[in-house]
Amino acid sequence: MTGHQVANAAQAALLLDVTLRPLLGFLMHAPRSASEVAAHLDVNLQRAHYLLGKLVRAGVAEVVSVQPRAGRAVKWYRVAPRWFISFEVTGAETLEAFLAAQILPRMARFVQLSTNLLREHQPIWGYWLEQGPETSNLRMGDLGGTADALFVGDEPFLLNIGNNRLSRERAAELKRRLIALLEEFSDPETAGAPEYTIGLMLVRGGVD
């Protein structure tokens, strides 16, 4: 498969399914067998075959080779590495819904992971609303105060939504530095290393 693929409606539904993103990325890098998919996703072989079948029937994945192994045929599956998914072929009625369908499930997952980590550190949490330089600041903590040790300490956990007043030039420079920082820490996958979720949004207008 070369060039790029243009998705139809059925393909778009699968390609934009956030739960399938780990599988799609795995199959885009190299042809994989069902057993490799099962191991990568930590699911049983039956589930792996089911997911691969869905992708093949929709034309998202294809069988690129069938190789004999231990007296039986083993299929290898591949997904094209580049797709264009037009807004018009999705089920979204508005551009807002189109964006929200990708952002909101990830935000919900991020909240779930954050909650699990918070419970490990403190069973009871609350908010501290305090005066800031230009607006009020809302920070988490307990009756003893804000959880500075967790949020600004050595624990690799960061949860913050805020507003900054920046000129267009300064905002562009911030964007450039953030992208460079992410690229600096985008090391090749390390077997056994924990996976971290990173979300960045820089939007003019701020979030109240």
Side-chain angles (χ1 to χ4, degrees):
M1 292 182 286
T2 60
H4 72 275
Q5 308 294 315
V6 178
N8 59 34
Q11 292 169 335
L14 295 173
L15 292 166
L16 294 179
D17 185 341
V18 296
T19 65
L20 292 177
R21 192 60 50 80
L23 172 58
L24 294 170
F26 190 57
L27 296 178
M28 284 178 172
H29 280 93
R32 314 286 188 178
S33 66
S35 60
E36 289 176 326
V37 167
H40 181 72
L41 300 181
D42 194 22
V43 299
N44 59 43
L45 190 58
Q46 183 179 5
R47 176 65 177 170
H49 278 295
Y50 168 76
L51 294 173
L52 290 167
K54 283 179 61 174
L55 297 182
V56 169
R57 287 190 295 274
V60 171
E62 65 176 357
V63 179
V64 293
S65 66
V66 179
Q67 301 177 4
R69 180 186 294 175
R72 60 185 179 87
V74 176
K75 296 180 180 179
W76 295 81
Y77 301 85
R78 181 83 161 106
V79 171
R82 197 159 185 254
W83 292 79
F84 176 68
I85 308 161
S86 171
F87 164 67
E88 284 74 17
V89 301
T90 69
E93 296 182 0
T94 65
L95 187 56
E96 289 83 358
F98 182 65
L99 293 175
Q102 289 297 304
I103 295 174
L104 294 183
R106 288 176 167 81
M107 290 299 295
R109 176 61 174 161
F110 179 72
V111 169
Q112 180 187 35
L113 293 172
S114 300
T115 303
N116 293 341
L117 179 62
L118 293 176
R119 287 198 181 104
E120 292 178 8
H121 288 265
Q122 175 64 259
I124 299 175
W125 287 87
Y127 284 114
W128 283 91
L129 182 63
E130 302 173 321
Q131 178 183 349
E134 294 188 12
T135 184
S136 58
N137 292 327
L138 189 67
R139 295 189 292 175
M140 293 193 70
D142 56 20
L143 282 174
T146 57
D148 293 338
L150 175 61
F151 288 98
V152 298
D154 293 333
E155 177 73 38
F157 173 66
L158 181 63
L159 175 60
N160 183 46
I161 299 177
N163 300 334
N164 277 8
R165 292 189 178 276
L166 301 169
S167 67
R168 181 177 179 83
E169 292 74 18
R170 290 281 288 167
E173 175 64 10
L174 175 60
K175 175 183 176 180
R176 185 192 66 77
R177 291 191 187 185
L178 289 173
I179 292 174
L181 187 63
L182 288 176
E183 291 178 348
E184 178 184 348
F185 283 88
S186 295
D187 296 328
E189 291 186 10
T190 304
E195 183 180 45
Y196 289 89
T197 296
I198 301 173
L200 289 175
M201 288 187 286
L202 178 65
V203 183
R204 189 176 66 182
V207 179
D208 296 329

